[in-house]
Amino acid sequence: MAASSNSSLSGSSVSSDPEDYQPPIWKSYLYQLQQEAPRPKRITCPHEMVNRPKYYGREFHGIISREHADELLAGAEGAYLIRESQRQPGTHTLALRFGHQTLNYRLFYDGKHFVGEKRFESVHDLVTDALITLYIETKAAEYIAKMTTNPIYEHLGYTSLLKDKMVHRLSRGRTEQRRVTFQRDEKISSPLVRRSALKDTPEKQCSYEKIHNFKVHTFRGPHWCEYCANFMWGLIAQGVRCSDCGLNVHKQCSKLVPSDCQPDLRRIKKVFSCDLTTLVKAHNTTRPMVVDICIREIELRGMKSEGLYRVSGFSEHIEDVRLAFDRDGEKADISASAYADINIIAGALKLYLRDLPIPVITFDLYSKFIQAAKIPNAESRLEAIHEGLLQLPPAHYETLRYLMAHLKRVTLFEKDNFMNAENLGIVFGPTLMQPPEQNALTTLNDMRQQKLVVQLMIEHEDVLF
């Protein structure tokens, strides 16, 4: 995979078929430097140490001075030993020879060895990684500082593959995304006028941006950054990988990657407890299919059910529905033949919404909605709720819009189901709105406002959305 250090990216091509995608020509300079890095040389103690910790080997020399350690390591790049501190008995120091000098690091062990963030199974692996990092950062400091200035990301690799995937998906006849109104007319100043004019505002295409879910990753074998095309050096934790789409980049490059994650269904392990935007992007839908499927089933056979959403279904059956969605996705069977009690389906929908890692009304907007509910003037209160809705992420907005339209239809059958907007607000308030800090007292104090926010969104669904 490695190419010469002055390889050009020109001439690299990306196939229109995602299955035939070929990576660009990677830059090999840092890879070559890693190959040149000094190799670790363990300096063993000539005699047995009685007090040697069981997790160290013959490289442990007991209590010796820095000067003595320097003498033992002199003249051998990559040589290392472990000594016990003279000033602080019981603490240990890794002495490492690099750049014709001895470097000393406080060494720790908690089941794995570490001197910084990275944790290693053995001291030898720790030293190997340290020598690679020291060598590359010494030889290529200026190169590393500039390696993000001319990224390949926008031209090759993940971005082009993403575009191809989207073309491939659309070519299979999937319908266009639903258009959702998000923008308000800045010329409308009066809340009363604006309320009557909200439905006339221009429609805006949903833009379901999603940031990458990067996590530190250890790559087996050589790997290159898909942002800057440079080698990801080190023995472990060489970079980060997006757990939703699989993008691999340097940690420093991850801060520059656009919010264009396109989750891969093969990486989405479950439906429940999955981030809302991640799920809709993975399935290329405007809302989570759980919401669509459950609401469709409830409207088919449950709108007149007494206490709909208030009456609890059998918890074990609700858990079965959750497992069915996690296992079968949109093919999950929740028909009357599988679950005759509609309260089971209603309970599963509430469970899905309640278990979202980020609630439908997001943590960062929670206080805005709570404060809006406390406004005494009815018109100003609705205006403040509308302002909050405009700030929701598009997938959250569309899910809430669809849910509120459904709940509005539920209230039309109030004579049969005894569920008006206030009752539904009591049920869905704590489900859709959760305080950022899970504090029981805060939740208790905010219950009235939570109920009121949902109640108003149901009653004024045709104006607010």
Side-chain angles (χ1 to χ4, degrees):
M1 185 181 291
S4 63
S5 59
N6 59 354
S7 295
S8 170
L9 291 174
S10 61
S12 299
S13 61
V14 179
S15 168
S16 59
D17 186 349
E19 300 300 324
D20 296 333
Y21 168 69
Q22 296 294 326
I25 299 174
W26 304 112
K27 303 171 186 176
S28 65
Y29 175 53
L30 298 178
Y31 176 72
Q32 292 170 353
L33 287 181
Q34 174 161 313
Q35 297 300 99
E36 298 169 4
R39 298 293 185 264
K41 302 177 183 66
R42 185 173 70 151
I43 304 300
T44 59
C45 185
H47 50 273
E48 187 67 29
M49 299 298 300
V50 178
N51 62 338
R52 182 178 68 200
K54 61 182 180 180
Y55 41 83
Y56 294 141
R58 296 290 301 276
E59 70 275 5
F60 182 75
H61 287 248
I63 299 178
I64 61 173
S65 65
R66 284 194 174 203
E67 292 74 21
H68 188 188
D70 191 48
E71 292 174 6
L72 293 172
L73 300 176
E77 281 287 281
Y80 71 94
L81 59 81
I82 298 172
R83 62 182 179 84
E84 188 171 353
S85 174
Q86 289 181 316
R87 296 179 180 178
Q88 295 179 293
T91 63
H92 303 107
T93 299
L94 171 68
L96 173 64
R97 191 73 177 179
F98 178 80
H100 308 293
Q101 61 179 324
T102 300
L103 308 176
N104 292 278
Y105 300 94
R106 178 79 175 273
L107 186 60
F108 301 90
Y109 181 81
D110 63 356
K112 291 189 176 181
H113 304 274
F114 63 99
V115 297
E117 293 181 357
K118 294 184 179 182
R119 282 165 164 74
F120 299 83
E121 296 291 343
S122 69
V123 173
H124 187 84
D125 286 349
L126 186 156
V127 174
T128 301
D129 186 83
L131 289 170
I132 291 170
T133 302
L134 287 168
Y135 188 78
I136 288 178
E137 291 182 353
T138 300
K139 294 285 186 178
E142 186 176 350
Y143 181 88
I144 292 172
K146 295 180 178 179
M147 69 183 184
T148 61
T149 57
N150 187 28
I152 63 160
Y153 186 80
E154 296 297 333
H155 310 290
L156 294 171
Y158 176 81
T159 302
S160 293
L161 180 58
L162 171 60
K163 291 177 182 176
D164 290 338
K165 282 183 176 179
M166 295 306 294
V167 170
H168 189 61
R169 282 184 177 182
L170 293 174
S171 68
R172 293 186 302 209
R174 185 176 291 277
T175 57
E176 291 185 4
Q177 290 184 329
R178 183 183 297 271
R179 297 177 69 86
V180 182
T181 300
F182 289 112
Q183 291 180 329
R184 61 182 176 85
D185 190 342
E186 296 294 341
K187 296 179 181 178
I188 301 175
S189 56
S190 166
L192 277 171
V193 177
R194 183 181 294 169
R195 282 183 57 204
S196 64
L198 287 178
K199 300 300 286 186
D200 298 326
T201 56
E203 288 191 326
K204 175 183 175 182
Q205 181 70 39
C206 292
S207 176
Y208 284 25
E209 283 192 354
K210 179 187 178 308
I211 62 173
H212 290 273
N213 185 19
F214 286 121
K215 295 181 179 178
V216 175
H217 190 78
T218 294
F219 299 94
R220 305 301 177 189
H223 270 73
W224 273 255
C225 175
E226 294 174 59
Y227 181 81
C228 70
N230 282 288
F231 178 66
M232 293 194 281
W233 65 90
L235 198 62
I236 69 167
Q238 303 96 328
V240 294
R241 167 176 286 175
C242 177
S243 58
D244 294 334
C245 71
L247 180 68
N248 303 319
V249 295
H250 291 111
K251 187 176 181 180
Q252 59 267 47
C253 291
S254 68
K255 300 171 184 177
L256 304 173
V257 175
S259 299
D260 61 356
C261 176
Q262 180 61 43
D264 187 337
L265 275 174
R266 292 171 297 181
R267 296 179 179 274
I268 307 300
K269 304 299 182 184
K270 55 187 178 180
V271 172
F272 277 61
S273 301
C274 176
D275 172 67
L276 198 155
T277 302
T278 299
L279 190 67
V280 299
K281 289 209 72 172
H283 288 271
N284 198 27
T285 58
T286 53
R287 295 176 302 275
M289 42 84 170
V290 178
V291 175
D292 278 13
I293 294 172
C294 286
I295 287 178
R296 187 162 58 241
E297 191 67 25
I298 290 167
E299 295 198 350
L300 179 67
R301 58 186 175 97
M303 298 294 272
K304 295 184 179 182
S305 177
E306 184 176 338
L308 180 63
Y309 288 117
R310 178 177 55 80
V311 176
S312 300
F314 193 41
S315 59
E316 288 189 9
H317 290 169
I318 292 174
E319 180 66 14
D320 289 342
V321 174
R322 182 186 72 81
L323 293 173
F325 275 114
D326 283 344
R327 182 184 63 248
D328 304 325
E330 58 189 14
K331 295 181 181 179
D333 180 12
I334 61 169
S335 63
S337 59
Y339 302 99
D341 183 4
I342 197 63
N343 294 311
I344 294 170
I345 309 306
L349 176 58
K350 289 189 295 181
L351 177 64
Y352 170 76
L353 296 171
R354 187 167 59 247
D355 281 359
L356 287 170
I358 300 175
V360 177
I361 293 179
T362 56
F363 290 126
D364 58 335
L365 290 174
Y366 176 84
S367 61
K368 187 176 184 66
F369 279 89
I370 293 296
Q371 293 305 313
K374 293 179 180 179
I375 297 174
N377 180 273
E379 301 298 335
S380 299
R381 185 167 56 227
L382 278 181
E383 177 65 16
I385 290 174
H386 182 248
E387 290 290 337
L389 292 172
L390 293 177
Q391 296 177 42
L392 285 172
H396 288 245
Y397 177 96
E398 172 61 12
T399 300
L400 191 60
R401 183 200 66 78
Y402 189 76
L403 178 64
M404 292 302 111
H406 161 66
L407 295 180
K408 182 69 172 284
R409 291 191 291 272
V410 170
T411 64
L412 300 179
F413 295 86
E414 182 186 350
K415 290 184 179 179
D416 300 295
N417 59 36
F418 301 105
M419 296 301 290
N420 56 26
E422 183 177 5
N423 293 336
L424 290 168
I426 293 171
V427 173
F428 280 94
T431 299
L432 300 175
M433 301 177 64
Q434 299 171 29
E437 297 178 0
Q438 297 299 323
N439 184 296
L441 184 60
T442 301
T443 303
L444 187 63
N445 291 337
D446 292 346
M447 284 184 66
R448 182 177 176 277
Q449 285 75 34
Q450 291 174 346
K451 182 267 295 184
L452 184 58
V453 167
V454 176
Q455 177 183 340
L456 291 173
M457 287 193 295
I458 295 172
E459 291 175 343
H460 303 278
E461 169 270 332
D462 58 330
V463 171
L464 290 172
F465 293 92

